[in-house]
Amino acid sequence: MVTIVFEAHATSLDNEAGIASGHADVDLSHLGRQQAAELGARYANDRFAAVFCSDLRRSYRTGVLAFGSRGVPIIRDARLRECDYGDLTGYPSEAVEHEKPRRLHQPFPNGESYDQVAERVRGFLRDLLADYAGRRVLIIGHRATQYGLEHWLNRVPLHEAVRAPWTWQPGWTYRLIAV
């Protein structure tokens, strides 16, 4: 078993502007940098075997700002990325939110579907179980990352995970036993 703590990346410049980033490599805002420091403080007494982040700047910078001085490995993995919104990258977040339920099986134009995202996350989880059994790790990712975690680890149907209202909270804990 692997114990996973999931945290959403801190606030990005696009989050503040109401823009859907998808695979766009957007940096953290000033508020996001503060939130990353708070994330590190929240887990000051935790011992993670590793911190995994998507390879997108907003996720990785959250990890570096929160945990960079602790000596814990901070590992980028593209399988933890947000959904690729394709042609809708950079559109208003509200427009992309409206489109999400239709993109469970059919990819965003020139992007990917949530089925494809879930398969990326599943591959990551398989490798994580093989390499980190018996350990505790932190994942800093995106909403799509969490959809995959909910689907594979809590057995939430993907369409329910994508359609459920999303509310930030300070961490979600998962137990990875099999995928």
Side-chain angles (χ1 to χ4, degrees):
M1 179 187 74
V2 179
T3 301
I4 298 170
V5 175
F6 172 80
E7 287 276 351
H9 68 77
T11 300
S12 73
L13 295 167
D14 277 0
N15 291 141
E16 287 186 350
I19 295 171
S21 302
H23 281 193
D25 206 12
V26 180
D27 208 350
L28 297 178
S29 68
H30 178 72
L31 172 62
R33 291 189 297 277
Q34 291 175 337
Q35 292 168 336
E38 292 167 5
L39 172 66
R42 190 163 53 249
Y43 293 104
N45 297 319
D46 275 88
R47 301 277 182 227
F48 295 109
V51 174
F52 292 92
C53 307
S54 90
D55 62 336
L56 295 172
R57 188 178 320 162
R58 57 195 183 270
S59 176
Y60 183 68
R61 290 250 309 141
T62 299
V64 168
L65 290 171
F67 299 98
S69 65
R70 296 200 191 164
V72 62
I74 301 173
I75 302 166
R76 286 178 163 177
D77 195 307
R79 295 174 294 181
L80 299 173
R81 279 183 169 210
E82 180 58 90
C83 186
D84 183 355
Y85 301 139
D87 294 345
L88 297 183
T89 299
Y91 273 55
S93 297
E94 187 176 299
V96 174
E97 284 296 318
H98 180 73
E99 190 70 22
K100 284 181 178 183
R102 292 190 282 221
R103 301 302 172 182
L104 291 167
H105 312 296
Q106 180 181 356
F108 283 89
N110 295 309
E112 68 183 334
S113 70
Y114 284 103
D115 281 336
Q116 291 170 307
V117 172
E119 285 305 314
R120 277 199 273 117
V121 172
R122 185 181 197 188
F124 170 82
L125 292 172
R126 285 181 173 152
D127 290 347
L128 188 65
L129 186 57
D131 297 339
Y132 285 85
R135 301 172 89 188
R136 179 177 168 88
V137 302
L138 181 85
I139 295 174
I140 300 173
H142 310 266
R143 285 174 59 182
T145 313
Q146 189 183 26
Y147 298 158
L149 296 174
E150 286 292 318
H151 179 65
W152 296 117
L153 303 180
N154 285 343
R155 303 296 180 222
V156 174
L158 190 57
H159 71 274
E160 288 181 20
V162 171
R163 289 180 178 156
W166 192 88
T167 305
W168 181 88
Q169 70 180 46
W172 289 260
T173 300
Y174 298 94
R175 305 279 185 254
L176 170 58
I177 298 167
V179 192

